[in-house]
Amino acid sequence: MASNRGAGQTDRMPAHFFQKLASGVPGILFTYWLSPDGQSHRYPYVSDQVQDLFGIEPALLNEDARAVFSVIHPEDATGVANSIVHSAQTLEPWCYRARLKLLDGQYQWFEAHSVPERQPDGSTIWYGQFHNIQHYKELEQILRDSEAEFQFQAGFQKLIARLSGEFIQLGFGSIDECIDELLRSIGGFFGIDRAYVYGFSQDHLTMTNTHEWCAPGVASLMADQQGVAIQEFQWWQAQINAMKNLNQVVFIEDVKRLPPEANNERALLESQGVSSMFCVPIWIRGQVMGFFGVDSLSHRSWRQDMADLLIIVSGLLSGALERNRLEEDLLNQSIRDPLTGLHNRRYLMPRLDEVLATCSRHGERFCLAMFDIDHFKRINDNLGHLAGDQVLVRFAELLLANTRNTDVISRYGGEEFLVVFTEMADSNVQPLVERIMHAVRAEKFVIGGETFGITVSAGSVCVAELTEEPASPHALIGLADQRLYQAKQGGRDCLVDASGLSRI
């Protein structure tokens, strides 16, 4: 029968018996007593290891258990107390894990296992032991970290594989959409605030934000980052040179800790709310054409391999942009005249179909003019074909200078050029053609020490004139060609349109 101190039969067991028993068991053996009202508790017996581990004398715990509870981690203390109350109420075995403070001040994990027994006076005694499980907790954490790292790496590889597939399958002209999707995906995967792509000018004196993704609630910077002069930021210019020459990644861990020579850069980044950032060079055809970057607006811990991961992303971007550049070059070679750089007939015909379709759907009028350089054969025969090429190139430049960006300008063949004046009423086309002819007549050429001028003849037609037959590219060009021939027959250096011959 338990004594009035609630020690039970443990008081009648010799102390050396428990000491010998405890010496052969890992951990700490104990009996723990809790009063019926839960207001007092003590350890009638606890093995000597409690002093070795926590610096608490067993004799002190024989009288009061509070010293053990004082070394429980504050975050675990409430859980321990509640679990003891629950075990006392249900008489279920008490099993719990908590962190306890060792003599060196460090906390380590311990696990307790004990069986409760109700005493006649209503108190409860637990018989059990608790032992250090720090090694298992560390191993558990290692396994969790390994699993988390495995899931991260698998997720990253899956993301890169998906984006690579999208870039491989992208159709020409959809590169911008794919880059936007890449920035969105990378931003979400890494939990960053802003991801972007900048392009350098050919002389690397300015940079332009070409693509940007922002997390919800994060302000866009794209509108203010067009044609930014790099020479205003000397420190950043040095980082760009390191990108170009050493293929280095720029990592700013804390904007506030930038060196004094980066005062301009720090002021700009702080005004943008940037706390830290990575920038990785984008290579196209062996040259750094820009960079891919990510921003964090708050302090964060970056992965140690973050630069390596972003280099993989940048490599994906570089490959896609290089492929797109190649496709653009191939397309331009197929639809542009290599001498003048103007579009050729291969581009003109489907473009005329588009203009005609727009005209049919929305009633937008347009006109077409065909130009021919007068006496061009004489230039080739008298001054050589190189001189003729110079005349063709300069005439193309005059066409571009005296037409609108919306107009379609092409070299139709030989010395013949064709201009489609889009959204043009019939009465407005003649002044535009005359302006071109005036500009050509005012131009002076100096080739081989000889100065000379040229003139052009033109024939124009407006889509509204084709009322007796369906409008088509061939019908329009055919009528413009007839009128050009009439201008030639009429003495050259003149225009023939619906109203007849006009000498400018």
Side-chain angles (χ1 to χ4, degrees), residues 339-340 388-398 417:
L339 176 64
T340 63
D389 287 347
Q390 292 181 42
V391 170
L392 292 172
V393 169
R394 183 54 186 155
F395 178 62
E397 293 172 350
L398 291 172
F417 295 77

Side-chain angles (χ1 to χ4, degrees), residues 439-460:
V440 172
R441 191 180 299 111
E443 185 73 14
K444 297 301 180 184
F445 294 86
V446 179
I447 298 176
E450 183 174 344
T451 301
F452 64 95
I454 65 170
T455 59
V456 294
S457 301
S460 71

Side-chain angles (χ1 to χ4, degrees), residues 66-86:
R66 283 181 297 178
V68 166
F69 283 78
S70 68
V71 300
I72 298 175
H73 195 286
E75 294 179 1
D76 301 332
T78 300
V80 170
N82 291 339
S83 65
I84 293 174
V85 171
H86 176 77

